[in-house]
Structure formats: structure tokens, C-alpha cells
Amino acid sequence: KAKATGKNTYHIYKPSADKQIYKRIELENDLRNAIVTNQLELYYQPKVCSDKNQIVGAEALIRWKHPKWGIIPPNEFIPIAEETGMISEIERWVVYTACKQTKMWQRRNLSSIPISVNLTAHRFLEKDFVQTVIRILESTQLAPQFLEIEITESSLLVNDSTVLAILDDLRRIGIGISLDDFGTGYSSLSYLKRFKGKFDTLKLDRSFIIDLSFGDTAEDNYITKTIINLAQYLKMDVIAEGVETYEQLQILSNFKCNMIQGYLFSKPVPADDFAELLSLNQLEIKEDYDGEKDYS
Ligand code: C2E
Ligand code: MG
Ligand code: MG
Ligand code: MG
């Protein structure tokens, strides 16, 4: 970048690049203590059936409340966790915490919805992975049908046969499997064929939702419609991610995609706030969201 914009910019970018590196080193060190010092927290975002605006599921999304840097989003520290091998411990904590929380909501008669957690390919391929999940379900006493695992398309690039076997194991136990961020990878459609019958749910990436409109680019909508139809033909549920406007909701509804996740209904919220959402019969549709993405 500095090259393309001329040499003057060098002096502008260098200090901030240094700062980035220092922050990164600092984060790496701090992350080792983040679990024991209770700095990690799960937020929960509802998955909503738009027929009745009722919550039909929740996705657990990790946040790191850093004493100095404030809330650090997963896209900033999950890669660090992966590179340093801390991801196993973090994801074990995520699965355990999400299961325990869901069981707690069930005990309070607040909920009978499944919780989904995001796992990276790396964790997924560890030898003891399935056993670990089973142990967590046993210790939290959560029935397996209330746990779902979201894995991204790009996770599937690695080691096909191992992944396929693990998917089978998990589904045999009764755990749901979702294909996250669908449509962002290099060979999305060929995956659908190769992994046919392995996924319960396809999560249509936000990039497809952003472009939906009734306006003169309406033909773009047909790509999205086609993916929805294809997924349904393959007997998968489809969830639209990142729905922010009423217009998007209407178009998706026309396309018979009724499972919605997005700021239009709710941002991811802390557990206590989510319990309040659960106690409502119906979620209200919010104003169209047009702000910045934030983590407050
Ligand atoms: P994802 O699994 O695709 O999660 C959806 C992301 O979209 C979340 O970002 C969520 O806050 C955001 N989102 C939801 N609705 C809207 C909307 O209407 N508009 C916009 N602009 N954004 C929306 P978040 O929480 O920052 O998470 C980003 C990614 O980090 C996740 O993408 C997931 O891949 C990863 N991640 C989150 N938690 C975990 C975790 O516990 N473990 C691992 N391995 N990855 C995680
Ligand atoms: Mg996800
Ligand atoms: Mg996603
Ligand atoms: Mg994503």
C-alpha cells in the first residue's frame, strides 16, 4: 500500500504498523490468562422464524472484554488463538459455557431452543473432539439435540474423509450441523454435492443479503433465491445471516426463507439480556439498521 500511494505515506503508516505489532504481542500474552481471569464472555443472537417473529434458536458468539482495549471482536483474536494453539482451550470453554447456559434457561422454563457454537476446522479435526463434546453434554446434562455446531465452508478444505467421518459421528449423537458463511468460499456449490446429507442447515452469508432489494438490481436477487431453492431441494434448512432491513426480510420471505438472523431483530446480547428476549412471546422488528457494526 505504501508503495502505491507514494513515499510520504511511509511516515504515516510505519508507527501505526509498529503499534499493531505491539498490540498483537500484548494480546497474545493476555489471551493466555483470558479464561481464568473471566475476560471471555458469550453473547447470544436470536435466530428468528419470521412467520411469527419467534425465537427458534440462538448463536453463541464470543467476546473478549480486555481490561485495556475494551471489547475485542472474535475476528481479531480467534486467529491469534489458532496460531498459538490456544483455540482448543477457548473452544472447549465456548461449548461448555453455551451448553451450561442453555440448560440453565431450560431449567427456568425459558427455553426449548437449540444453541449453536462456532468451531474452527482445526479444533474439529482434533482426535478427542467428539469425545470432548460428549463429555461436555454429559456434565451439563444438555440433550444433544439442543446443541448445534457451525462450521464454515473454508474449514472443509482440509482432510475430507476425516471431516466427513466426524460429521457423521456428531449427527449420529443428535447434534445439529450448520454450514456457516455459505457462498463465500471458492467452491460452494461443489461442496453442497460432496457434503450432501451431512448438514442440517445452510447459513446464507450476509454478503448475499446486503444486495437484496426491490430496486433495479433486482436480478441479483435471483442468485440468492436459487441458493435458497437448492438448499431446500437438498433438504436443508436455510438461515439468512445479517438481515438488517425490512426490505431484505420481505424479499427473503417471498423466497420462502423464513429463518432470519440479524440486527433487524436483535444484535448479539449478553446472557441476561437474551433471557429477557426469551421471555417475550414475539420479537419486535426494529428500525432498519444503518449504523456501524459495534460490540457494545
Ligand atoms: P459468524 O459465525 O458468521 O457470525 C455472525 C457474525 O455476524 C457475528 O459477528 C454477528 O455479530 C454478525 N451479525 C449478525 N447479524 C448481523 C447484522 O445484521 N449485520 C451485521 N453487520 N453483522 C451481523 P461476530 O460476533 O463479530 O463474529 C464474527 C465471526 O467470528 C463469526 O462469524 C464466527 O466465524 C467467529 N466466531 C464468533 N464466536 C466464535 C467462537 O466462539 N469460536 C470461533 N472459532 N469463532 C467464533
Ligand atoms: Mg456462525
Ligand atoms: Mg456466518
Ligand atoms: Mg462470518
Side-chain angles (χ1 to χ4, degrees):
K1 278 246 166 65
K3 203 174 166 191
T5 46
K7 60 181 171 190
N8 285 339
T9 53
Y10 182 77
H11 296 289
I12 298 167
Y13 282 118
K14 191 169 182 259
S16 95
D18 278 355
K19 212 174 145 200
Q20 283 298 104
I21 291 167
Y22 285 129
K23 183 177 178 185
R24 151 89 208 212
I25 292 169
E26 215 179 289
L27 291 185
E28 200 177 306
N29 287 326
D30 295 347
L31 192 54
R32 292 178 209 287
N33 297 315
I35 294 184
V36 286
T37 53
N38 275 324
Q39 289 172 15
L40 298 183
E41 183 173 346
L42 291 184
Y43 276 36
Y44 299 88
Q45 186 180 36
K47 298 173 181 177
V48 180
C49 175
S50 63
D51 291 346
K52 291 180 174 165
N53 296 348
Q54 279 166 346
I55 300 179
V56 293
E59 177 172 9
L61 295 154
I62 197 168
R63 304 288 180 257
W64 180 9
K65 298 195 163 166
H66 191 282
K68 174 173 165 191
W69 300 100
I71 297 183
I72 303 177
N75 288 336
E76 249 183 76
F77 72 90
I78 292 291
I80 300 178
E82 282 189 271
E83 283 164 36
T84 56
M86 288 182 268
I87 191 72
S88 303
E89 197 188 342
I90 291 175
E91 289 188 342
R92 214 176 305 128
W93 177 86
V94 168
V95 177
Y96 175 76
T97 307
C99 289
K100 198 172 83 176
Q101 183 62 73
T102 303
K103 185 67 191 184
M104 217 131 78
W105 285 328
Q106 289 181 358
R107 290 210 166 101
R108 288 164 58 193
N109 283 326
L110 275 172
S111 153
S112 53
I113 57 162
I115 187 84
S116 70
V117 294
N118 294 280
L119 296 181
T120 52
H122 185 257
R123 180 72 192 119
F124 200 69
L125 288 171
E126 272 169 37
K127 263 213 155 64
D128 63 343
F129 172 71
V130 176
Q131 269 312 312
T132 304
V133 173
I134 292 173
R135 266 201 305 274
I136 290 173
L137 287 170
E138 282 169 359
S139 73
T140 57
Q141 297 183 298
L142 186 73
Q145 64 266 29
F146 293 109
L147 178 63
E148 283 175 13
I149 289 171
E150 300 195 2
I151 50 176
T152 59
E153 239 185 285
S154 48
S155 313
L156 301 173
L157 283 171
V158 280
N159 206 337
D160 247 13
S161 57
T162 314
V163 172
L164 285 172
I166 293 172
L167 288 175
D168 283 340
D169 285 350
L170 293 169
R171 296 190 78 218
R172 215 170 299 127
I173 298 165
I175 296 168
I177 311 286
S178 298
L179 186 52
D180 203 353
D181 297 353
F182 184 81
T184 56
Y186 289 110
S187 46
S188 310
L189 290 178
S190 73
Y191 279 155
L192 278 191
K193 190 172 166 191
R194 193 139 37 104
F195 289 87
K196 193 165 156 245
K198 305 287 178 188
F199 292 93
D200 307 284
T201 307
L202 182 152
K203 300 192 75 176
L204 192 56
D205 191 71
R206 190 167 81 89
S207 54
F208 291 101
I209 311 306
I210 289 174
D211 292 336
L212 292 178
S213 90
F214 287 123
D216 46 347
T217 56
E219 69 267 22
D220 288 349
N221 298 353
Y222 284 97
I223 294 176
T224 305
K225 181 180 166 61
T226 302
I227 295 174
I228 292 169
N229 289 347
L230 183 60
Q232 289 168 346
Y233 185 71
L234 293 169
K235 307 255 183 321
M236 285 185 274
D237 291 328
V238 184
I239 299 185
E241 294 191 289
V243 177
E244 296 184 354
T245 69
Y246 191 64
E247 185 177 14
Q248 292 163 354
L249 181 71
Q250 281 179 300
I251 293 168
L252 288 163
S253 165
N254 290 345
F255 292 170
K256 307 271 184 299
C257 175
N258 302 323
M259 300 255 274
I260 305 292
Q261 196 181 340
Y263 294 172
L264 184 64
F265 287 105
S266 172
K267 287 187 174 182
V269 295
D272 287 347
D273 297 341
F274 194 80
E276 266 173 51
L277 295 180
L278 283 172
S279 66
L280 303 171
N281 273 329
Q282 282 196 329
L283 291 192
E284 270 174 51
I285 294 179
K286 301 216 170 15
E287 302 262 305
D288 285 1
Y289 184 81
D290 61 0
E292 290 286 299
K293 182 168 173 165
D294 70 63
Y295 288 91
S296 53

